[in-house]
Amino acid sequence: MMNIETERLIITEFTPEMAEAVHENSLDEDNRRFVPDEVFETVEDAAETIAFLSSRYEGDEGPFVFPVLLRDRTYIGYVQAVPIREEKWEIGYHIGAKYTKNGYATEAVVAFLPVIMERIGISEIEGICLSENAASRRVMEKAGFVLVFQGMGEYQGAKREICRFRFSI
């Protein structure tokens, strides 16, 4: 059972009751712009995704996606580790627009990294974002990732200007 607590946040496992909040948080403009495959147009779409993600918790192949809650149990976003190619994993995160600019993404990523990396058995994880996504770049830099590539690369099925970061323990 995933249960990470920080001063302000709880990282735990999805429950079906989170579907409405997941749906609502997925609709913000940054999500549509940077990760359109993570937009859930209906509560039912969010519920189906939660059911799938929850089914992955017991296995070892991922993706491993966990909700980020405020201490009062308000859903504000997620952190994830996703396999991207053989023995390589990528960190991902999203904090809903009404909760951004509070350092929650950085706090969640910093708390999540050692736990998920130990669970998966890796010593290195990548972070990939569009070059224009300054907020995501800042999160990775603050969390200790190192920029290893900037230029044209594959992103969401298209060639785009990306930044690739790497975190090692």
Side-chain angles (χ1 to χ4, degrees), residues 55-70:
S55 76
R56 310 308 284 176
Y57 292 150
E58 297 306 315
D60 60 1
E61 58 193 47
F64 299 114
V65 185
F66 300 94
V68 176
L69 313 176
L70 295 177

Side-chain angles (χ1 to χ4, degrees), residues 10-21:
I10 299 168
I11 300 169
T12 187
E13 294 181 359
F14 277 108
T15 64
E17 297 77 30
M18 295 177 187
E20 188 168 338

Side-chain angles (χ1 to χ4, degrees), residues 5-10 69-72 102-105 107:
E5 295 192 25
T6 70
E7 185 178 319
R8 303 181 299 163
L9 304 174
I10 299 168
L69 313 176
L70 295 177
R71 299 292 289 192
D72 68 3
N102 291 298
Y104 294 139
E107 186 174 332

Side-chain angles (χ1 to χ4, degrees), residues 79 91 110-111 119 131 133-134 159 165:
V79 290
I91 188 87
V110 167
R119 176 176 173 190
S131 294
N133 190 342
K159 290 284 187 192
F165 291 83

Side-chain angles (χ1 to χ4, degrees), residues 52-112:
F52 168 75
L53 296 174
S54 297
S55 76
R56 310 308 284 176
Y57 292 150
E58 297 306 315
D60 60 1
E61 58 193 47
F64 299 114
V65 185
F66 300 94
V68 176
L69 313 176
L70 295 177
R71 299 292 289 192
D72 68 3
R73 314 263 330 150
T74 300
Y75 174 85
I76 65 168
Y78 66 82
V79 290
Q80 65 184 358
V82 178
I84 53 174
R85 54 190 181 281
E86 195 169 315
E87 298 186 36
K88 293 288 184 189
W89 290 77
E90 178 186 0
I91 188 87
Y93 43 85
H94 175 257
I95 300 297
K98 61 184 172 182
Y99 304 104
T100 59
K101 298 184 175 50
N102 291 298
Y104 294 139
T106 302
E107 186 174 332
V109 167
V110 167
F112 182 64

